[in-house]
Amino acid sequence: NNTIQYKYIHIIRMSTATATPQQLLEGLQRQVSSDDAALDVDYSQILKQILLSNSDTKITTAALECCVLIAVKQGDLEAFQRHVSLVKATYENVESDKRAWILGLNLMYLLLMDNPSEFHSELELLQEELQSSYIQFPVLLEQRLMLGSYNDVAALQSQLPDPSYGLFMESLLVTVRDRIADCLEGAYRTLSLEAARKMLGFATIQELEEYRADDWIIENGELCFQPPTVGRKATDVPSMKLIAQTLSYATELERIV
């Protein structure tokens, strides 16, 4: 409804002298629920107004949660991290029904940043939230990531606890695909296009061919990788086992460090 949207934009542009913190918060909440992620509104300025004019910690927490979710909608990971850090500090004194949701998104962010040590540190701080689907999803996702199977990770796309998790999921799928591709290069001299397509989760051979067109050679229906300069032949290595182990060992090493 255009009338409601114009009224919303008008309210959140009002100065703190005429708009109450509650009104400003309602404006942020409307932006979170709006399908238009690019409304002509500077939500960071609205948050600043709320922080300067408000002493109610519940409103502050709710406003910060809105900013986290808006940052996700806009794909702004820097703003996401900044607002998550702020809202986590308020959770020490305020209960919120969005707490598990926000903390779950933070776990997704840590997976995307390839920071397993902080991921598990954050997980250890959670108690009642552990049973929430918002938390269980990134935990399951981390387990799938350690297995190094693109298809196993991709299968979780249909189980997102909320569409806001999609931003992180899409980026993680790209990361997993790149890691598997790197392992393929070290584990094989040649590999059939169909086998590579399945391992990397492409829908068509054409997508596979376009993926690393400048790096991979295609001959007679096979991908040809550069042969290793030293060590055993690629054919002597149990390749699929190597790929899974390599990704698993790397994850475990990062966690220990």
Side-chain angles (χ1 to χ4, degrees):
N1 188 303
N2 289 337
T3 301
I4 294 176
Q5 179 168 307
Y6 291 145
K7 180 179 178 182
Y8 154 57
I9 294 176
H10 173 69
I11 287 175
I12 60 179
R13 282 177 172 169
M14 294 167 66
S15 68
T16 54
T18 54
T20 67
Q22 182 60 41
Q23 287 176 315
L24 294 169
L25 172 60
E26 291 170 359
L28 288 176
Q29 291 170 335
R30 185 172 293 278
Q31 189 170 357
V32 169
S33 61
S34 171
D35 292 331
D36 186 356
L39 280 173
D40 184 21
V41 175
D42 186 348
Y43 72 91
S44 62
Q45 289 301 313
I46 301 167
L47 175 63
K48 183 177 180 180
Q49 289 181 336
I50 291 175
L51 295 177
L52 290 174
S53 62
N54 170 62
S55 60
D56 188 332
T57 53
K58 289 185 178 180
I59 289 180
T60 298
T61 297
L64 287 168
E65 289 174 334
C66 286
C67 289
V68 168
L69 298 174
I70 294 170
V72 170
K73 289 180 67 175
Q74 296 182 345
D76 189 343
L77 293 181
E78 183 178 345
F80 170 84
Q81 183 184 31
R82 182 170 63 252
H83 291 125
V84 164
S85 296
L86 292 171
V87 77
K88 281 171 57 182
T90 71
Y91 285 153
E92 297 179 4
N93 303 307
V94 177
E95 292 188 5
S96 169
D97 57 1
K98 290 185 174 64
R99 176 187 173 103
W101 182 7
I102 299 299
L103 296 180
L105 286 172
N106 186 47
L107 292 176
M108 294 292 291
Y109 171 80
L110 293 174
L111 288 177
L112 179 59
M113 293 297 103
D114 199 15
N115 193 340
S117 59
E118 188 169 349
F119 175 90
H120 286 276
S121 294
E122 289 291 321
L123 201 57
E124 290 175 1
L125 298 175
L126 304 179
Q127 297 178 6
E128 63 272 11
E129 297 90 353
L130 289 174
Q131 301 306 314
S132 167
S133 61
Y134 291 121
I135 303 300
Q136 289 182 346
F137 182 85
V139 171
L140 177 60
L141 177 58
E142 193 234 5
Q143 294 171 354
R144 297 280 180 92
L145 287 170
M146 289 182 63
L147 294 175
S149 169
Y150 181 90
N151 290 330
D152 286 344
V153 174
L156 292 178
Q157 278 189 303
S158 62
Q159 302 176 36
L160 296 178
D162 185 84
S164 57
Y165 281 58
L167 168 69
F168 303 99
M169 193 67 186
E170 291 173 6
S171 298
L172 278 166
L173 285 173
V174 172
T175 299
V176 172
R177 176 175 282 156
D178 288 344
R179 287 184 175 181
I180 293 175
D182 291 340
C183 288
L184 291 180
E185 292 179 357
Y188 292 92
R189 287 189 178 183
T190 63
L191 184 65
S192 73
L193 291 174
E194 180 59 21
R197 182 194 69 77
K198 291 179 179 179
M199 290 182 191
L200 294 171
F202 285 110
T204 66
I205 295 294
Q206 182 179 352
E207 291 179 353
L208 170 65
E209 292 175 342
E210 295 172 352
Y211 172 58
R212 292 194 176 179
D214 296 332
D215 300 325
W216 291 348
I217 300 171
I218 299 176
E219 292 181 354
N220 301 320
E222 289 187 328
L223 289 176
C224 300
F225 305 112
Q226 293 294 325
T229 56
V230 295
R232 293 187 299 174
K233 297 180 180 179
T235 53
D236 297 331
V237 182
S239 303
M240 289 307 297
K241 183 177 181 180
L242 172 65
I243 292 171
Q245 286 182 343
T246 299
L247 294 172
S248 179
Y249 292 162
T251 301
E252 288 298 321
L253 180 59
E254 289 173 355
R255 182 183 301 174
I256 293 171
V257 173

